Amino acid sequence: MEPTTSGARPRLTVLGTGYLGATHAVCMAELGFDVLGLDVDEHKIALLQSGEVPFYEPGLPELLRKNLEAGRLRFTTSFEEVGAFGDVHFLCVGTPQKQGEFAADMTYVDACFRALVPHLRDGALVVGKSTVPAGTAERLAAELARTCPAADVELAWNPEFLREGFAVEDTLTPDRLVFGVTSEAAEAKLSAAFAPVLELPTPLVVTDFATAQLVKVAANAFLATKISFINAMAEVCEATGGDVTLLSKALSYDSRIGGRFLHAGLGFGGGCLPKDIRAFMARAGELGVDQALSFLREVDAINLRRRARMVDLARELVGGSFGGMRVGVLGAAFKPNSDDIRDSPALDVAAAIQRQGAAVTLYDPAAMDNARARCPELGYRESALEAAGGADIVLHLTEWSEFRQMDPATLSDVVASRRIVDGRNALDPARWRAAGWTYRALGRP
Ligand code: UGA
């Protein structure tokens, strides 16, 4: 492509500055591109422009400030400005689960796309990164061809595989890049936009639109299936007296299986895996291939059963009823190193226990504000020790390193009863038992 800036680098814009978009904008600037980020949320844009990341992501605030200062990164709420600035535009807005349905809500993608199109310059490339139902790219490409006033404008699809908590690393050094394109020109423009990453080198798979969209949901479906597989084994371990952590360890030495995403516990949550497998099933139904994905129903069901099992086990340990009990909860985020509480197993369990009559007091190192906004009925404390104060039982629900390293003896002084359930199989049972605690976990004796 003929870049409008000096040198060989296209100017990039990133639309939507959530977990994905903000990280993408900052990391592309870090790779040396001039980047303009956009969001319709003025507050978020003001925060980013002042060097504050509106969510918790290790390493991101430092890179944001560095690149703002270097003048490579700016933020705006103006689609006009974005259209005038950019050669390559990344769509990074969210596709949450629709209320009361399995399908993905495409409102934000469609609105963002339609607001951008009238402002595009000749030769611009629009790149979808959001996780979408198969068929979306084809639909948007047709709309682009029909409605865009500029010449030689194209669409490409480039799914994103970053994990929260490791978002910077995953963006700067991804496992692979996938380019869904329909022309060599689009491929060349995308290659220019990812030149520093491709040079690492990073494996690149060039596909059609359908495959590019499917890679993303297939990857998340596979990861969810792997987690639910080991959690199903945890259920069987509970019935047989086996230990799922040892089972998982033994399986992991088989290089065909591998140990990653084979960690049994409270199961998966977050803004991606749960809603993506549901949207995938919904789309498969529309395409007439629902049978191909019916196993994902089971994956979802196994996952949700872990939460119920956690509640049952905790209730059993306090004598069969939560009435009048104090329950200390460690963790609210859906996983450590994140403040994200979307579909969080930890928060779900805490809320369910409170509904059953317990007084729940909770602490999380990063997700307190988000948890309080979602579940104002729970008690919030400023530290693990305070959350466990006077507790009849302590529940370890998000495996922050702060909790993993906790000294059982320190906690012994503040609780009413030394009982702990490790929902993440991340504490050392021998250490807790040696300190006089009743230690229980999911999937092991
Ligand atoms: C997930 C994928 O891992 C990313 O590749 C993908 O880009 C992202 O979704 C997305 O679609 O945007 P993320 O939601 O950040 O990333 O979280 P994961 O690290 O995948 O963890 C998901 C959940 O699975 C967490 O609740 C975690 O506690 C749980 N988990 C993970 C387990 O219960 N066991 C495991 O062995 C691994």
Side-chain angles (χ1 to χ4, degrees), residues 20 131 160-166 170 176 216 219-220 223-224 226-228 230-231 259-276 303 307 333-336 338 340 342-345 397-399 424:
L20 162 60
T131 303
E160 177 57 55
F161 304 101
L162 67 80
R163 299 158 297 166
E164 288 175 26
F166 299 91
D170 286 351
R176 78 298 212 181
K216 174 57 193 264
N220 277 359
L223 295 171
K226 211 172 168 194
I227 298 168
S228 276
I230 200 64
N231 281 331
R260 295 178 77 189
F261 277 69
L262 209 59
H263 197 91
L266 209 44
F268 59 81
C272 303
L273 262 46
K275 66 105 177 154
D276 285 354
N303 191 51
R307 303 179 189 186
F334 83 105
K335 66 172 187 180
S338 170
D340 197 344
R342 287 176 293 173
D343 208 337
S344 166
L397 303 184
T398 311
E399 69 276 35
R424 291 295 180 181

Side-chain angles (χ1 to χ4, degrees), residues 29 33 41 47 73 98 146 174 191 233-234 258 271 296 341 387 417 421 440:
F33 292 95
D41 182 336
L47 277 178
L73 181 59
K98 269 190 197 164
R146 212 175 49 244
S191 297
M233 295 305 112
L296 288 177
I341 46 110
S417 290
V421 187
R440 292 294 300 275

Side-chain angles (χ1 to χ4, degrees), residues 234 237-238 241-245 422 425-427 429 439-445:
C237 282
E238 281 158 18
D243 182 332
V244 75
T245 64
D422 181 6
N425 281 310
L427 305 176
Y439 170 96
R440 292 294 300 275
L442 297 175
R444 65 203 295 200

Side-chain angles (χ1 to χ4, degrees), residues 289-415:
V289 287
D290 39 338
Q291 274 192 337
L293 297 187
S294 59
F295 73 96
L296 288 177
R297 269 184 206 288
E298 214 41 62
V299 166
D300 202 7
I302 293 165
N303 191 51
L304 295 175
R305 277 208 297 277
R306 290 290 78 191
R307 303 179 189 186
R309 171 68 187 140
M310 181 73 199
V311 175
D312 291 348
L313 179 57
R315 195 180 45 241
E316 212 176 278
L317 284 174
V318 295
S321 165
F322 282 123
M325 290 290 157
R326 295 185 60 89
V327 178
V329 167
L330 306 180
F334 83 105
K335 66 172 187 180
N337 300 317
S338 170
D339 65 354
D340 197 344
I341 46 110
R342 287 176 293 173
D343 208 337
S344 166
L347 205 52
D348 240 20
V349 165
I353 289 177
Q354 171 104 353
R355 279 197 301 275
Q356 292 187 23
V360 171
T361 46
L362 180 153
Y363 167 72
D364 186 284
M368 297 286 273
D369 290 346
N370 289 340
R372 202 182 274 113
R374 171 75 57 82
C375 294
E377 73 279 14
L378 303 177
Y380 292 91
R381 299 292 182 270
E382 292 307 311
S383 68
L385 272 188
E386 284 177 40
D392 297 293
I393 189 163
V394 176
L395 308 182
H396 176 235
L397 303 184
T398 311
E399 69 276 35
W400 285 92
S401 68
E402 171 182 339
F403 301 150
R404 294 200 309 267
Q405 286 156 17
M406 220 161 32
D407 181 0
T410 319
L411 222 58
S412 299
D413 296 338
V414 301
V415 294

